[in-house]
Amino acid sequence: MAVCVEEQRLCLPAAGCPGPSGGPAAACGMSRLLGGTLERVCKAVLLLCLLHFLVAVILYFDVYAQHLAFFSRFSARGPARALHPAASSSTNCSRPNTTAPSSGLPEAPSARPGPTAPALPPCPDSPPGLVGRLLIEFTSPMPLERVQRENPGVLLGGRYAPPDCTPAQTVAVIIPFRHREHHLRYWLHYLHPILRRQRLRYGVYVINQHGEDTFNRAKLLNVGFLEALKEDATYDCFIFSDVDLVPMDDRNLYRCGDQPRHFAIAMDKFGFRLPYAGYFGGVSGLSKAQFLRINGFPNEYWGWGGEDDDIFNRISLTGMKISRPDIRIGRYRMIKHDRDKHNEPNPQRFTKIQNTKLTMKRDGIGSVRYQVLEVSRQPLFTNITVDIGRPPSWPPRG
């Protein structure tokens, strides 16, 4: 019995277990059970991975076959367009170093007209992209390069048209100008985004008075009207704006209506109020027909003041009325500056205003005389430098 026990003790370690009875034998049995279970789990995971790989391969080839069929149909249409140039666009979009396969049949004229760009819908009366009240400040540096980067959609000469709709009007914005480059940069910085949000088809024209003689705002506006129409005869709305005035609300739409429009009705320099009932200065708008009806603006107001009151008289004398926005929307900020040199107050302005009825038929768009010295189309505006002559010699006062 002792020998047998010794032999059993010698055999059992070789098999990996001390014996069927006792603590060590039970632990060994549990280890074998866990080892078998883990092996089966690993095999199951491996089979799942293999199944997933097979499914992915099948899906890949299915999608590849669909893409191949799509591009085959697309390339099959290409030679048909190449055989019928009339059915393709005027721009040559063919790839270099490629030839279209021949069908072996004589070419025949296309039975259908070529594709044309779909007509754009009319622009909405109330543009959806407007933001309302704006924060306007003139303290940050405003290099022209920055303004150009901010308005990539504006074409050379300051022209723009919305890409997704057709505006009802074509608007020319006219700015009388001399030595105000600093103000112009701020104006361009604020107004181009506003006009684009208003979905306008427009062009910006800076009418630069040559020389250092007395400034004549109204005559420059007459020149701008004529020169803009020379460039684009479709202009039917004209906005006349001082370069130092920026609207504080983009809901103040730069459009023309049934009556002449006064936009700048609440400037900060006037405490955001209309200074008097007949005020028509700063920023105004007239349709082409309205402008011609009043014979344009007066040419004889040299120096500061009086021309806007003369324009108001012309509108009233022709039976039209001034249209204005809500005073909460027609607010403007003015860039502070000193009085321009050679733009002193016109000593004859009050006498001239009283005689508008006598002078408006002979003094206006039909009598303006000037010489264009240079037309320069800049990235954000068209600059037109003109010689408008010199003021007549005024008799001494007193």
Side-chain angles (χ1 to χ4, degrees):
M1 179 65 69
V3 174
C4 182
V5 172
E6 289 296 332
E7 291 179 354
Q8 187 177 7
R9 289 177 180 173
L10 291 175
C11 292
L12 288 175
C17 285
S21 60
C28 182
M30 183 63 67
S31 298
R32 287 181 176 178
L33 179 62
L34 291 176
T37 302
L38 182 61
E39 181 180 2
R40 287 191 295 271
V41 170
C42 291
K43 289 181 179 179
V45 171
L46 182 61
L47 288 175
L48 288 175
C49 291
L50 180 60
L51 180 62
H52 176 77
F53 175 76
L54 291 175
V55 171
V57 169
I58 292 173
L59 291 176
Y60 171 80
F61 280 107
D62 182 64
V63 173
Y64 176 78
Q66 294 178 9
H67 279 261
L68 184 62
F70 170 77
F71 285 109
S72 298
R73 292 194 300 270
F74 179 79
S75 60
R77 295 191 188 110
R81 286 196 298 267
L83 287 172
H84 305 290
S88 62
S89 70
S90 59
T91 304
N92 184 4
C93 298
S94 60
R95 296 180 180 178
N97 303 324
T98 59
T99 57
S102 174
S103 63
L105 298 175
E107 297 181 1
S110 176
R112 295 181 300 174
T116 57
L120 296 176
C123 292
D125 292 335
S126 299
L130 301 180
V131 298
R133 186 69 61 87
L134 305 171
L135 176 63
I136 307 297
E137 56 89 17
F138 306 115
T139 58
S140 302
M142 195 56 60
L144 202 58
E145 293 77 11
R146 170 187 168 182
V147 183
Q148 187 175 348
R149 290 194 303 269
E150 293 171 344
N151 298 278
V154 178
L155 303 180
L156 189 67
R159 302 295 300 270
Y160 177 81
D164 56 350
C165 63
T166 302
Q169 299 175 345
T170 304
V171 180
V173 184
I174 312 296
I175 302 174
F177 184 85
R178 187 170 64 181
H179 305 323
R180 294 284 196 91
E181 289 77 9
H182 177 69
H183 295 174
L184 179 61
R185 289 194 292 268
Y186 282 111
W187 191 97
L188 296 169
H189 165 69
Y190 286 113
L191 265 295
H192 269 304
I194 290 175
L195 299 177
R196 288 190 289 110
R197 289 197 297 270
Q198 292 181 359
R199 304 291 184 90
L200 299 180
R201 178 172 53 226
Y202 68 90
V204 176
Y205 297 87
V206 175
I207 313 302
N208 179 36
Q209 179 173 336
H210 175 72
E212 298 300 330
D213 286 310
T214 306
F215 195 69
N216 191 324
R217 176 180 180 269
K219 190 172 184 179
L220 291 173
L221 296 178
N222 279 339
V223 172
F225 175 86
L226 294 174
E227 292 301 313
L229 285 174
K230 288 180 181 178
E231 181 175 277
D232 189 346
T234 65
Y235 282 124
D236 50 7
C237 177
F238 295 83
I239 307 297
F240 304 98
S241 174
D242 289 346
V243 73
D244 56 1
L245 286 175
V246 174
M248 300 177 65
D249 197 309
D250 60 2
R251 293 172 295 179
N252 194 359
L253 302 178
Y254 276 29
R255 299 174 182 169
C256 295
D258 297 335
Q259 302 293 332
R261 185 78 164 174
H262 185 212
F263 297 97
I265 65 170
M267 300 182 197
D268 55 353
K269 79 168 187 174
F270 296 135
F272 296 110
R273 291 174 296 194
L274 192 68
Y276 53 92
Y279 182 67
F280 197 66
V283 185
S284 57
L286 292 89
S287 69
K288 181 180 178 181
Q290 293 164 358
F291 188 86
L292 295 175
R293 184 174 175 180
I294 65 172
N295 192 25
F297 297 159
N299 299 305
E300 298 179 358
Y301 283 81
W302 297 88
W304 180 87
E307 80 286 346
D308 47 357
D309 295 320
D310 191 294
I311 297 168
F312 178 87
N313 290 342
R314 291 174 180 237
I315 293 171
S316 300
L317 289 169
T318 51
M320 294 186 288
K321 297 182 179 180
I322 303 298
S323 169
R324 292 187 172 104
D326 186 282
I327 196 168
R328 293 168 296 181
I329 293 178
R331 296 161 65 96
Y332 277 74
R333 286 285 308 276
M334 174 179 282
I335 307 174
K336 294 182 180 180
H337 59 88
D338 297 330
R339 178 67 56 80
D340 297 329
K341 188 178 180 181
H342 304 300
N343 191 29
E344 293 79 11
N346 182 350
Q348 297 183 337
R349 63 187 185 277
F350 298 110
T351 301
K352 288 183 175 294
I353 292 170
Q354 295 173 359
N355 295 315
T356 303
K357 186 175 182 179
L358 302 176
T359 60
M360 64 177 293
K361 290 185 178 180
R362 64 170 177 82
D363 177 26
I365 193 65
S367 63
V368 61
R369 299 291 181 267
Y370 65 95
Q371 180 183 2
V372 175
L373 302 180
E374 181 186 16
V375 177
S376 175
R377 291 176 176 81
Q378 302 295 324
L380 298 170
F381 62 96
T382 295
N383 181 82
I384 302 176
T385 302
V386 294
D387 182 358
I388 60 173
R390 305 178 66 179
S393 298
W394 290 322
R397 301 178 63 184

